[in-house]
Amino acid sequence: MLARMSDAKLFQDPVATARATHALLSNVRTDGHTDAGTLLTLAWSLRELTPRQTEFATVPISDFDHRVPDRGSSLLWDEPRAERMFAALREDRPLTAEFPADGPVPVGMPPSEVQVTVDDARIAEGLRASGFAATASAAPHARPDGPTVVTYDPERTRYAPALAAALPGAVLRPVAGSGPAFRVVVGSEDRGVTRVVHDRSMVEGAPVAGDRLRCPHPKGQKG
C-alpha cells in the first residue's frame, strides 16, 4: 500500500492526501485522538519514506495451539524473543538486525514427525542431526544423474517443505500410495544436508523489510 501511494505521488499532492485521509477515516475505527489533521501530519512525515525503510514482523510465538481453560486455543508469545523485539522497537533498532537470518533454516513442521528413508548413510545421518526420523537403505552401485529426488504420498505434503529445506536442490515428486515415509534417492548433483530447526514463528512472521514483503493479491495479480 505504501509503495502504491508513493508511486501515485499521493504524499506530494495536498488535495489528494486530504481526499485519501477522509476515505481512510470513513473505513476504519480510530481512537478519539486521531482525526483528519493527525493523519495529514502523518502523511506529510511519510512523504519521503520508501518500502525499503519499513519493516514488518509478527510477535514471536512459542505455541500456536496453547490451551487455556474455558478459553480454548490461543497463541502463546515466546517471551524472551518478544521482549527482544519490543526492546528493539523502543530503542529504534532494526528488527531484521535483531533477528538475523543465519544459523539453521527455520521450518514450520517438526522434523521428528517426518519419516525418511535415504539410500545414502551420510545423508541420513545429516537429516537425523536436525531431528528427522531418517533411516539409511541400501546404496545403489551408481548414483543416478541429476539432482536428489524425493518421492512422497500427497497426504504428507504439509511436511515436504521441511525436508526440502534440509535437502537443497532436491526435486519433490508426490506419488499416491507411497506410504508414510519420504523416499530419498540421492543423485549425482547432491548438495548435502542443511541444518533446519522447527521454528514456525520465524517461518510465518520473521521480520522483513517492506521491499521484500510479498502479499497475495486478488485475481492472481503478482505481488
Side-chain angles (χ1 to χ4, degrees), residues 61-122:
I61 303 297
S62 64
D63 189 349
F64 283 78
D65 189 23
H66 180 64
R67 296 288 169 166
V68 179
D70 301 323
R71 297 286 183 178
S73 179
S74 64
L75 299 176
L76 184 66
W77 283 6
D78 183 323
E79 293 190 10
R81 288 199 293 183
E83 176 51 35
R84 281 173 53 199
M85 176 174 287
F86 288 120
L89 289 172
R90 287 192 297 268
E91 298 168 13
D92 198 24
R93 290 184 282 109
L95 296 180
T96 50
E98 187 66 23
F99 295 87
D102 56 6
V105 175
V107 294
M109 298 298 290
S112 60
E113 296 181 6
V114 185
Q115 299 180 45
V116 189
T117 60
V118 192
D119 65 353
D120 187 313
R122 174 182 55 88

Short mmCIF file of all heavy atoms in Angstrom, two decimals, residues 61-122:
data_model
loop_
_atom_site.label_atom_id
_atom_site.label_comp_id
_atom_site.label_asym_id
_atom_site.label_seq_id
_atom_site.Cartn_x
_atom_site.Cartn_y
_atom_site.Cartn_z
N ILE A 61 6.07 -16.41 18.45
CA ILE A 61 5.14 -17.31 19.13
C ILE A 61 5.86 -18.60 19.53
O ILE A 61 6.59 -19.17 18.73
CB ILE A 61 3.95 -17.64 18.21
CG1 ILE A 61 3.24 -16.37 17.75
CG2 ILE A 61 2.98 -18.60 18.89
CD1 ILE A 61 2.62 -15.56 18.87
N SER A 62 5.63 -19.04 20.75
CA SER A 62 6.22 -20.30 21.20
C SER A 62 5.25 -21.46 21.07
O SER A 62 5.66 -22.62 20.98
CB SER A 62 6.69 -20.19 22.66
OG SER A 62 5.59 -19.97 23.53
N ASP A 63 3.95 -21.19 21.07
CA ASP A 63 2.94 -22.25 20.97
C ASP A 63 1.74 -21.70 20.19
O ASP A 63 1.09 -20.76 20.62
CB ASP A 63 2.50 -22.70 22.37
CG ASP A 63 1.62 -23.94 22.34
OD1 ASP A 63 1.18 -24.34 21.24
OD2 ASP A 63 1.38 -24.53 23.42
N PHE A 64 1.49 -22.32 19.03
CA PHE A 64 0.39 -21.87 18.18
C PHE A 64 -0.95 -22.50 18.57
O PHE A 64 -1.97 -22.17 17.98
CB PHE A 64 0.69 -22.19 16.72
CG PHE A 64 1.67 -21.24 16.08
CD1 PHE A 64 3.03 -21.35 16.33
CD2 PHE A 64 1.25 -20.23 15.24
CE1 PHE A 64 3.95 -20.50 15.74
CE2 PHE A 64 2.15 -19.35 14.65
CZ PHE A 64 3.50 -19.48 14.91
N ASP A 65 -0.93 -23.38 19.53
CA ASP A 65 -2.17 -24.01 19.98
C ASP A 65 -2.14 -24.17 21.50
O ASP A 65 -2.31 -25.25 22.04
CB ASP A 65 -2.37 -25.37 19.31
CG ASP A 65 -3.74 -25.97 19.58
OD1 ASP A 65 -4.68 -25.21 19.89
OD2 ASP A 65 -3.86 -27.21 19.49
N HIS A 66 -1.91 -23.05 22.18
CA HIS A 66 -1.86 -23.05 23.64
C HIS A 66 -3.27 -23.13 24.20
O HIS A 66 -4.13 -22.29 23.89
CB HIS A 66 -1.17 -21.78 24.14
CG HIS A 66 -1.07 -21.68 25.63
ND1 HIS A 66 -0.33 -22.56 26.38
CD2 HIS A 66 -1.63 -20.81 26.50
CE1 HIS A 66 -0.44 -22.24 27.66
NE2 HIS A 66 -1.22 -21.18 27.75
N ARG A 67 -3.53 -24.15 25.00
CA ARG A 67 -4.88 -24.36 25.52
C ARG A 67 -5.07 -23.67 26.86
O ARG A 67 -4.29 -23.87 27.79
CB ARG A 67 -5.13 -25.86 25.67
CG ARG A 67 -5.10 -26.61 24.35
CD ARG A 67 -6.32 -26.30 23.51
NE ARG A 67 -6.20 -26.80 22.14
CZ ARG A 67 -7.23 -26.90 21.31
NH1 ARG A 67 -8.43 -26.52 21.70
NH2 ARG A 67 -7.03 -27.33 20.09
N VAL A 68 -6.12 -22.84 26.93
CA VAL A 68 -6.45 -22.10 28.14
C VAL A 68 -7.81 -22.57 28.64
O VAL A 68 -8.78 -22.60 27.86
CB VAL A 68 -6.49 -20.57 27.86
CG1 VAL A 68 -6.86 -19.81 29.12
CG2 VAL A 68 -5.16 -20.10 27.30
N PRO A 69 -7.92 -22.97 29.91
CA PRO A 69 -9.21 -23.42 30.43
C PRO A 69 -10.31 -22.39 30.18
O PRO A 69 -10.12 -21.19 30.41
CB PRO A 69 -8.93 -23.60 31.94
CG PRO A 69 -7.47 -23.87 32.01
CD PRO A 69 -6.85 -23.05 30.93
N ASP A 70 -11.43 -22.86 29.69
CA ASP A 70 -12.62 -22.04 29.41
C ASP A 70 -12.41 -21.05 28.27
O ASP A 70 -13.29 -20.24 27.99
CB ASP A 70 -13.07 -21.27 30.67
CG ASP A 70 -13.39 -22.20 31.84
OD1 ASP A 70 -13.95 -23.29 31.58
OD2 ASP A 70 -13.09 -21.84 32.99
N ARG A 71 -11.25 -21.10 27.64
CA ARG A 71 -10.98 -20.17 26.53
C ARG A 71 -10.69 -20.91 25.22
O ARG A 71 -10.90 -20.37 24.14
CB ARG A 71 -9.80 -19.25 26.87
CG ARG A 71 -10.03 -18.36 28.07
CD ARG A 71 -10.98 -17.23 27.75
NE ARG A 71 -11.15 -16.34 28.89
CZ ARG A 71 -11.90 -15.26 28.87
NH1 ARG A 71 -12.57 -14.92 27.77
NH2 ARG A 71 -12.02 -14.50 29.95
N GLY A 72 -10.13 -22.10 25.33
CA GLY A 72 -9.78 -22.85 24.14
C GLY A 72 -8.39 -22.54 23.63
O GLY A 72 -7.49 -22.19 24.39
N SER A 73 -8.22 -22.65 22.32
CA SER A 73 -6.91 -22.48 21.70
C SER A 73 -6.51 -21.01 21.64
O SER A 73 -7.34 -20.13 21.39
CB SER A 73 -6.94 -23.06 20.28
OG SER A 73 -5.69 -22.89 19.65
N SER A 74 -5.24 -20.74 21.87
CA SER A 74 -4.74 -19.38 21.81
C SER A 74 -3.27 -19.41 21.37
O SER A 74 -2.66 -20.47 21.27
CB SER A 74 -4.85 -18.69 23.18
OG SER A 74 -4.04 -19.35 24.13
N LEU A 75 -2.73 -18.24 21.10
CA LEU A 75 -1.32 -18.10 20.75
C LEU A 75 -0.55 -17.68 22.00
O LEU A 75 -0.95 -16.76 22.70
CB LEU A 75 -1.13 -17.05 19.66
CG LEU A 75 -1.81 -17.32 18.31
CD1 LEU A 75 -1.59 -16.13 17.38
CD2 LEU A 75 -1.28 -18.59 17.68
N LEU A 76 0.56 -18.36 22.25
CA LEU A 76 1.40 -18.04 23.41
C LEU A 76 2.69 -17.40 22.93
O LEU A 76 3.43 -17.98 22.13
CB LEU A 76 1.71 -19.30 24.21
CG LEU A 76 2.50 -19.10 25.51
CD1 LEU A 76 1.68 -18.31 26.51
CD2 LEU A 76 2.92 -20.45 26.08
N TRP A 77 2.92 -16.17 23.37
CA TRP A 77 4.14 -15.48 22.96
C TRP A 77 5.39 -16.22 23.44
O TRP A 77 5.41 -16.81 24.51
CB TRP A 77 4.18 -14.06 23.55
CG TRP A 77 3.30 -13.08 22.84
CD1 TRP A 77 2.42 -13.34 21.82
CD2 TRP A 77 3.22 -11.68 23.10
NE1 TRP A 77 1.81 -12.19 21.44
CE2 TRP A 77 2.27 -11.15 22.19
CE3 TRP A 77 3.85 -10.83 24.00
CZ2 TRP A 77 1.94 -9.80 22.17
CZ3 TRP A 77 3.52 -9.48 23.98
CH2 TRP A 77 2.59 -8.98 23.07
N ASP A 78 6.44 -16.12 22.65
CA ASP A 78 7.77 -16.54 23.06
C ASP A 78 8.34 -15.34 23.83
O ASP A 78 8.85 -14.38 23.23
CB ASP A 78 8.63 -16.87 21.84
CG ASP A 78 10.01 -17.38 22.19
OD1 ASP A 78 10.60 -16.87 23.17
OD2 ASP A 78 10.51 -18.27 21.49
N GLU A 79 8.22 -15.36 25.15
CA GLU A 79 8.50 -14.16 25.94
C GLU A 79 9.92 -13.61 25.77
O GLU A 79 10.09 -12.40 25.60
CB GLU A 79 8.18 -14.42 27.41
CG GLU A 79 6.68 -14.62 27.65
CD GLU A 79 6.34 -14.63 29.12
OE1 GLU A 79 7.22 -14.30 29.94
OE2 GLU A 79 5.19 -14.95 29.45
N PRO A 80 10.98 -14.45 25.79
CA PRO A 80 12.32 -13.87 25.62
C PRO A 80 12.50 -13.18 24.27
O PRO A 80 13.02 -12.07 24.19
CB PRO A 80 13.24 -15.09 25.76
CG PRO A 80 12.46 -16.06 26.58
CD PRO A 80 11.04 -15.89 26.13
N ARG A 81 12.02 -13.82 23.19
CA ARG A 81 12.19 -13.21 21.88
C ARG A 81 11.24 -12.03 21.69
O ARG A 81 11.57 -11.05 21.01
CB ARG A 81 11.99 -14.25 20.78
CG ARG A 81 13.15 -15.24 20.71
CD ARG A 81 13.19 -15.97 19.40
NE ARG A 81 12.05 -16.86 19.20
CZ ARG A 81 11.90 -17.65 18.14
NH1 ARG A 81 12.82 -17.64 17.19
NH2 ARG A 81 10.85 -18.44 18.04
N ALA A 82 10.05 -12.11 22.28
CA ALA A 82 9.12 -10.98 22.20
C ALA A 82 9.72 -9.75 22.88
O ALA A 82 9.63 -8.63 22.36
CB ALA A 82 7.79 -11.35 22.82
N GLU A 83 10.35 -9.96 24.02
CA GLU A 83 10.97 -8.84 24.73
C GLU A 83 12.11 -8.25 23.91
O GLU A 83 12.30 -7.03 23.87
CB GLU A 83 11.48 -9.29 26.10
CG GLU A 83 12.23 -8.21 26.88
CD GLU A 83 11.47 -6.89 26.98
OE1 GLU A 83 10.21 -6.91 27.08
OE2 GLU A 83 12.12 -5.82 26.95
N ARG A 84 12.87 -9.11 23.22
CA ARG A 84 13.93 -8.60 22.35
C ARG A 84 13.34 -7.71 21.25
O ARG A 84 13.89 -6.67 20.92
CB ARG A 84 14.69 -9.76 21.71
CG ARG A 84 15.73 -10.43 22.61
CD ARG A 84 16.29 -11.66 21.95
NE ARG A 84 16.80 -11.40 20.60
CZ ARG A 84 17.01 -12.33 19.68
NH1 ARG A 84 16.72 -13.60 19.96
NH2 ARG A 84 17.49 -12.01 18.51
N MET A 85 12.21 -8.14 20.71
CA MET A 85 11.58 -7.38 19.64
C MET A 85 11.10 -6.02 20.14
O MET A 85 11.36 -4.98 19.52
CB MET A 85 10.41 -8.17 19.04
CG MET A 85 9.63 -7.41 17.97
SD MET A 85 8.37 -8.43 17.16
CE MET A 85 9.42 -9.47 16.14
N PHE A 86 10.41 -6.02 21.28
CA PHE A 86 9.89 -4.76 21.79
C PHE A 86 11.01 -3.85 22.27
O PHE A 86 10.91 -2.62 22.18
CB PHE A 86 8.88 -5.02 22.91
CG PHE A 86 7.58 -5.59 22.40
CD1 PHE A 86 7.14 -6.83 22.82
CD2 PHE A 86 6.81 -4.90 21.48
CE1 PHE A 86 5.96 -7.37 22.35
CE2 PHE A 86 5.62 -5.43 20.99
CZ PHE A 86 5.19 -6.67 21.43
N ALA A 87 12.10 -4.44 22.78
CA ALA A 87 13.25 -3.63 23.18
C ALA A 87 13.86 -2.94 21.96
O ALA A 87 14.24 -1.76 22.01
CB ALA A 87 14.29 -4.49 23.89
N ALA A 88 13.94 -3.67 20.85
CA ALA A 88 14.47 -3.08 19.62
C ALA A 88 13.57 -1.94 19.14
O ALA A 88 14.06 -0.91 18.67
CB ALA A 88 14.60 -4.16 18.54
N LEU A 89 12.25 -2.12 19.26
CA LEU A 89 11.33 -1.06 18.87
C LEU A 89 11.50 0.18 19.75
O LEU A 89 11.54 1.31 19.26
CB LEU A 89 9.89 -1.56 18.95
CG LEU A 89 9.46 -2.56 17.89
CD1 LEU A 89 8.08 -3.12 18.21
CD2 LEU A 89 9.45 -1.93 16.51
N ARG A 90 11.62 -0.05 21.06
CA ARG A 90 11.78 1.09 21.98
C ARG A 90 13.06 1.86 21.70
O ARG A 90 13.10 3.09 21.83
CB ARG A 90 11.77 0.59 23.43
CG ARG A 90 10.42 0.15 23.94
CD ARG A 90 10.44 -0.04 25.45
NE ARG A 90 11.37 -1.10 25.85
CZ ARG A 90 11.02 -2.38 26.01
NH1 ARG A 90 9.77 -2.76 25.79
NH2 ARG A 90 11.90 -3.27 26.40
N GLU A 91 14.11 1.13 21.31
CA GLU A 91 15.41 1.75 21.09
C GLU A 91 15.64 2.12 19.63
O GLU A 91 16.74 2.52 19.26
CB GLU A 91 16.50 0.80 21.58
CG GLU A 91 16.41 0.52 23.08
CD GLU A 91 17.29 -0.63 23.53
OE1 GLU A 91 18.17 -1.04 22.72
OE2 GLU A 91 17.11 -1.11 24.66
N ASP A 92 14.61 1.94 18.79
CA ASP A 92 14.67 2.32 17.38
C ASP A 92 15.80 1.59 16.65
O ASP A 92 16.54 2.19 15.86
CB ASP A 92 14.82 3.83 17.23
CG ASP A 92 14.45 4.30 15.83
OD1 ASP A 92 13.68 3.59 15.15
OD2 ASP A 92 14.94 5.36 15.40
N ARG A 93 15.90 0.27 16.93
CA ARG A 93 16.89 -0.55 16.23
C ARG A 93 16.17 -1.42 15.21
O ARG A 93 15.05 -1.86 15.44
CB ARG A 93 17.65 -1.44 17.22
CG ARG A 93 18.59 -0.67 18.13
CD ARG A 93 19.40 -1.57 19.04
NE ARG A 93 18.63 -2.06 20.18
CZ ARG A 93 18.21 -3.32 20.33
NH1 ARG A 93 18.46 -4.22 19.39
NH2 ARG A 93 17.53 -3.67 21.40
N PRO A 94 16.80 -1.73 14.07
CA PRO A 94 16.16 -2.55 13.04
C PRO A 94 15.82 -3.95 13.55
O PRO A 94 16.66 -4.62 14.17
CB PRO A 94 17.21 -2.61 11.93
CG PRO A 94 18.11 -1.44 12.18
CD PRO A 94 18.14 -1.26 13.67
N LEU A 95 14.62 -4.39 13.30
CA LEU A 95 14.22 -5.73 13.73
C LEU A 95 14.96 -6.80 12.93
O LEU A 95 15.25 -7.88 13.44
CB LEU A 95 12.72 -5.91 13.57
CG LEU A 95 11.83 -5.01 14.42
CD1 LEU A 95 10.36 -5.32 14.15
CD2 LEU A 95 12.13 -5.17 15.90
N THR A 96 15.22 -6.52 11.65
CA THR A 96 15.91 -7.50 10.83
C THR A 96 17.33 -7.75 11.32
O THR A 96 17.89 -8.82 11.09
CB THR A 96 15.95 -7.04 9.37
OG1 THR A 96 16.42 -5.69 9.30
CG2 THR A 96 14.56 -7.11 8.74
N ALA A 97 17.92 -6.78 12.00
CA ALA A 97 19.25 -6.97 12.59
C ALA A 97 19.14 -7.73 13.91
O ALA A 97 20.05 -8.47 14.29
CB ALA A 97 19.93 -5.62 12.80
N GLU A 98 18.02 -7.54 14.61
CA GLU A 98 17.83 -8.22 15.89
C GLU A 98 17.55 -9.71 15.69
O GLU A 98 17.88 -10.53 16.53
CB GLU A 98 16.66 -7.57 16.64
CG GLU A 98 16.48 -8.08 18.06
CD GLU A 98 17.64 -7.69 18.97
OE1 GLU A 98 18.35 -6.69 18.66
OE2 GLU A 98 17.84 -8.37 19.98
N PHE A 99 16.94 -10.06 14.56
CA PHE A 99 16.62 -11.46 14.26
C PHE A 99 17.25 -11.81 12.91
O PHE A 99 16.57 -11.96 11.90
CB PHE A 99 15.10 -11.67 14.20
CG PHE A 99 14.42 -11.46 15.53
CD1 PHE A 99 14.00 -10.19 15.91
CD2 PHE A 99 14.21 -12.51 16.40
CE1 PHE A 99 13.37 -9.98 17.13
CE2 PHE A 99 13.59 -12.32 17.62
CZ PHE A 99 13.17 -11.06 17.99
N PRO A 100 18.59 -11.92 12.87
CA PRO A 100 19.28 -12.17 11.59
C PRO A 100 18.93 -13.54 11.02
O PRO A 100 18.62 -14.48 11.75
CB PRO A 100 20.76 -12.09 11.97
CG PRO A 100 20.79 -12.44 13.43
CD PRO A 100 19.52 -11.88 14.00
N ALA A 101 18.98 -13.63 9.69
CA ALA A 101 18.65 -14.88 9.01
C ALA A 101 19.89 -15.75 8.86
O ALA A 101 20.31 -16.10 7.76
CB ALA A 101 18.04 -14.57 7.64
N ASP A 102 20.52 -16.10 9.99
CA ASP A 102 21.65 -17.02 9.94
C ASP A 102 21.35 -18.21 10.85
O ASP A 102 20.32 -18.26 11.51
CB ASP A 102 22.95 -16.32 10.34
CG ASP A 102 22.86 -15.68 11.73
OD1 ASP A 102 21.84 -15.88 12.41
OD2 ASP A 102 23.80 -14.97 12.11
N GLY A 103 22.25 -19.17 10.89
CA GLY A 103 22.01 -20.36 11.69
C GLY A 103 21.12 -21.34 10.94
O GLY A 103 20.94 -21.24 9.72
N PRO A 104 20.55 -22.32 11.64
CA PRO A 104 19.69 -23.32 10.98
C PRO A 104 18.50 -22.67 10.28
O PRO A 104 17.98 -21.65 10.73
CB PRO A 104 19.23 -24.21 12.15
CG PRO A 104 20.26 -24.01 13.22
CD PRO A 104 20.71 -22.58 13.08
N VAL A 105 18.08 -23.26 9.20
CA VAL A 105 16.93 -22.75 8.45
C VAL A 105 15.64 -23.09 9.21
O VAL A 105 15.41 -24.26 9.54
CB VAL A 105 16.88 -23.36 7.04
CG1 VAL A 105 15.62 -22.91 6.30
CG2 VAL A 105 18.13 -22.98 6.26
N PRO A 106 14.80 -22.11 9.52
CA PRO A 106 13.55 -22.41 10.23
C PRO A 106 12.55 -23.13 9.32
O PRO A 106 12.41 -22.79 8.15
CB PRO A 106 13.03 -21.04 10.65
CG PRO A 106 13.63 -20.09 9.67
CD PRO A 106 14.96 -20.65 9.30
N VAL A 107 11.87 -24.12 9.87
CA VAL A 107 10.82 -24.83 9.14
C VAL A 107 9.57 -24.86 9.99
O VAL A 107 9.62 -24.77 11.21
CB VAL A 107 11.26 -26.27 8.77
CG1 VAL A 107 12.42 -26.24 7.78
CG2 VAL A 107 11.65 -27.07 10.00
N GLY A 108 8.43 -25.01 9.32
CA GLY A 108 7.15 -24.90 10.01
C GLY A 108 6.62 -26.17 10.63
O GLY A 108 5.64 -26.13 11.37
N MET A 109 7.23 -27.32 10.33
CA MET A 109 6.78 -28.59 10.89
C MET A 109 7.93 -29.26 11.62
O MET A 109 9.09 -29.15 11.22
CB MET A 109 6.26 -29.51 9.78
CG MET A 109 5.06 -28.96 9.02
SD MET A 109 3.60 -28.71 10.04
CE MET A 109 3.14 -30.41 10.39
N PRO A 110 7.64 -30.00 12.71
CA PRO A 110 8.71 -30.67 13.47
C PRO A 110 9.37 -31.77 12.64
O PRO A 110 8.69 -32.68 12.15
CB PRO A 110 7.98 -31.27 14.67
CG PRO A 110 6.68 -30.53 14.76
CD PRO A 110 6.32 -30.18 13.36
N PRO A 111 10.68 -31.73 12.43
CA PRO A 111 11.36 -32.79 11.68
C PRO A 111 11.14 -34.18 12.28
O PRO A 111 11.14 -35.18 11.54
CB PRO A 111 12.84 -32.38 11.75
CG PRO A 111 12.80 -30.90 11.88
CD PRO A 111 11.62 -30.63 12.77
N SER A 112 10.93 -34.24 13.59
CA SER A 112 10.73 -35.55 14.23
C SER A 112 9.48 -36.26 13.73
O SER A 112 9.35 -37.49 13.89
CB SER A 112 10.65 -35.38 15.75
OG SER A 112 9.57 -34.53 16.10
N GLU A 113 8.57 -35.52 13.11
CA GLU A 113 7.34 -36.11 12.59
C GLU A 113 7.48 -36.55 11.14
O GLU A 113 6.51 -37.01 10.53
CB GLU A 113 6.18 -35.12 12.72
CG GLU A 113 5.84 -34.76 14.16
CD GLU A 113 4.67 -33.79 14.25
OE1 GLU A 113 4.07 -33.49 13.20
OE2 GLU A 113 4.37 -33.33 15.37
N VAL A 114 8.68 -36.40 10.58
CA VAL A 114 8.92 -36.72 9.17
C VAL A 114 9.75 -37.99 9.07
O VAL A 114 10.93 -38.00 9.42
CB VAL A 114 9.63 -35.57 8.44
CG1 VAL A 114 9.76 -35.88 6.95
CG2 VAL A 114 8.89 -34.25 8.64
N GLN A 115 9.13 -39.08 8.61
CA GLN A 115 9.84 -40.33 8.40
C GLN A 115 10.50 -40.30 7.02
O GLN A 115 9.86 -39.95 6.03
CB GLN A 115 8.89 -41.51 8.47
CG GLN A 115 8.18 -41.69 9.81
CD GLN A 115 7.25 -42.87 9.79
OE1 GLN A 115 7.60 -43.96 9.32
NE2 GLN A 115 6.04 -42.66 10.30
N VAL A 116 11.78 -40.68 6.99
CA VAL A 116 12.53 -40.61 5.75
C VAL A 116 13.39 -41.86 5.58
O VAL A 116 14.01 -42.33 6.55
CB VAL A 116 13.47 -39.38 5.72
CG1 VAL A 116 14.08 -39.20 4.34
CG2 VAL A 116 12.75 -38.12 6.16
N THR A 117 13.42 -42.42 4.38
CA THR A 117 14.38 -43.46 4.04
C THR A 117 15.29 -42.90 2.96
O THR A 117 14.82 -42.30 1.99
CB THR A 117 13.70 -44.74 3.53
OG1 THR A 117 12.93 -44.45 2.35
CG2 THR A 117 12.77 -45.32 4.60
N VAL A 118 16.60 -43.07 3.15
CA VAL A 118 17.59 -42.46 2.26
C VAL A 118 18.58 -43.54 1.81
O VAL A 118 19.03 -44.35 2.64
CB VAL A 118 18.36 -41.34 2.98
CG1 VAL A 118 19.17 -40.53 1.98
CG2 VAL A 118 17.43 -40.44 3.76
N ASP A 119 18.92 -43.53 0.54
CA ASP A 119 19.88 -44.54 0.04
C ASP A 119 21.32 -44.08 0.19
O ASP A 119 22.19 -44.44 -0.60
CB ASP A 119 19.57 -44.91 -1.42
CG ASP A 119 19.76 -43.74 -2.37
OD1 ASP A 119 20.02 -42.60 -1.89
OD2 ASP A 119 19.65 -43.94 -3.60
N ASP A 120 21.57 -43.27 1.21
CA ASP A 120 22.93 -42.78 1.48
C ASP A 120 23.05 -42.56 2.98
O ASP A 120 22.36 -41.70 3.55
CB ASP A 120 23.16 -41.47 0.72
CG ASP A 120 24.59 -40.97 0.81
OD1 ASP A 120 25.14 -40.95 1.94
OD2 ASP A 120 25.16 -40.59 -0.23
N ALA A 121 23.93 -43.32 3.62
CA ALA A 121 24.06 -43.25 5.08
C ALA A 121 24.51 -41.86 5.54
O ALA A 121 24.10 -41.38 6.60
CB ALA A 121 25.05 -44.31 5.56
N ARG A 122 25.33 -41.20 4.73
CA ARG A 122 25.82 -39.87 5.09
C ARG A 122 24.67 -38.87 5.14
O ARG A 122 24.56 -38.05 6.07
CB ARG A 122 26.88 -39.42 4.07
CG ARG A 122 27.36 -38.00 4.23
CD ARG A 122 28.38 -37.67 3.14
NE ARG A 122 27.83 -37.92 1.82
CZ ARG A 122 27.15 -37.01 1.12
NH1 ARG A 122 26.93 -35.80 1.62
NH2 ARG A 122 26.68 -37.30 -0.09
#
